[in-house]
Amino acid sequence: MTTNTFDKLAQHTFSVGVELPLDNDWAHFDATKGAPFGVPDMTQHHSRIQLADKLGFKAAWVRDVPVYDPSFGDAAQVFETFTYLGYLAGITDNILLGTAAVVLPLRQPWLVKKAAATVQQLSNDRLILGVASGDRPVEYPLFDVDFDSRGEQFRQSLEIVKHGENSLKPGMSLLPRSTTPPLYVAGLAQQSPQGLEKIWTVGWRIQVHRTSM
């Protein structure tokens, strides 16, 4: 029987993970190289994540930053979230792969659901799906999404991510079929704590991680 992600997390009472990129030592930023501040040098990302995996780090976390905005700070790991996780799944063996966090209002929820199932299967059940409502106002007009209503958008998208199969016609299915990854909510996602309790259902574990989102 395949060990699920929570079983892997529970193997240790304390664990240490890494946030990607591992190439973002901005304390030694060199403007003469031509890259803007906050855009990491990713030339060694392959070897560094493999080293983190070999050294026994428990999880590697990637962020969801579609557009680099220098006024906001940094470009995260540069590569698109789920595409990169699929790549990481193929070059690592044990390290868990987490999103911190997918901005649901900016993504088509059915594609989030399919992408998560794909990474979960390709990684042999190593995905941790973190989701959020987002906090970068400049991004929302680009996706034709109203920033102020992102809380409602989040709830609607989360419902599809969790229970979308229930709305499919007989004979239809979303592939690949995979085990359900653990679901984390970063920040309150514009919800009340009581509202998040209502979102929680059997089969999904939601942890509220308080941030500025």
Side-chain angles (χ1 to χ4, degrees), residues 110-213:
W110 280 101
L111 294 179
V112 170
K113 188 175 182 68
K114 186 176 182 71
T118 299
V119 172
Q120 180 74 331
Q121 186 170 111
L122 292 177
S123 68
N124 191 26
D125 296 337
R126 288 188 284 142
L127 177 65
I128 303 172
L129 183 59
V131 294
S133 62
D135 62 352
R136 300 190 180 203
V138 69
E139 296 174 344
Y140 291 77
L142 301 176
F143 292 86
D144 196 25
V145 174
D146 178 52
F147 180 75
D148 293 332
S149 63
R150 66 193 187 282
E152 176 60 26
Q153 295 270 4
F154 174 86
R155 288 192 296 274
Q156 293 175 2
S157 294
L158 186 61
E159 184 65 21
I160 292 173
V161 170
K162 291 167 54 188
H163 303 303
E165 293 92 338
N166 295 341
S167 65
L168 294 176
K169 295 179 180 179
M172 296 177 65
S173 60
L174 187 141
L175 301 176
R177 293 187 175 91
S178 67
T179 60
T180 301
L183 178 68
Y184 284 70
V185 176
L188 290 177
Q190 305 302 303
Q191 316 299 313
S192 67
Q194 295 76 18
L196 286 178
E197 288 178 5
K198 293 178 181 178
I199 291 172
W200 186 88
T201 57
V202 174
W204 294 87
R205 307 190 188 188
I206 297 182
Q207 173 174 309
V208 178
H209 174 63
R210 295 182 183 273
T211 70
S212 59
M213 286 186 182

Side-chain angles (χ1 to χ4, degrees), residues 12-93:
H12 302 279
T13 56
F14 177 79
S15 62
V16 178
V18 294
E19 181 184 80
L20 304 187
L22 298 174
D23 313 65
N24 63 343
D25 186 4
W26 299 325
H28 298 92
F29 173 71
D30 185 356
T32 63
K33 292 184 178 180
F37 181 81
V39 179
D41 175 6
M42 300 292 289
T43 55
Q44 299 184 58
H45 73 105
H46 180 111
S47 60
R48 290 184 175 180
I49 188 59
Q50 288 187 319
L51 178 59
D53 189 28
K54 182 179 179 180
L55 292 175
F57 284 94
K58 198 63 179 177
W61 299 90
V62 299
R63 292 158 58 201
D64 191 10
V65 181
V67 179
Y68 169 59
D69 178 8
S71 67
F72 212 92
D74 69 273
Q77 72 282 339
V78 177
F79 301 127
E80 191 279 324
T81 305
F82 284 113
T83 308
Y84 193 37
L85 287 178
Y87 172 82
L88 295 176
I91 65 170
T92 58
D93 297 314

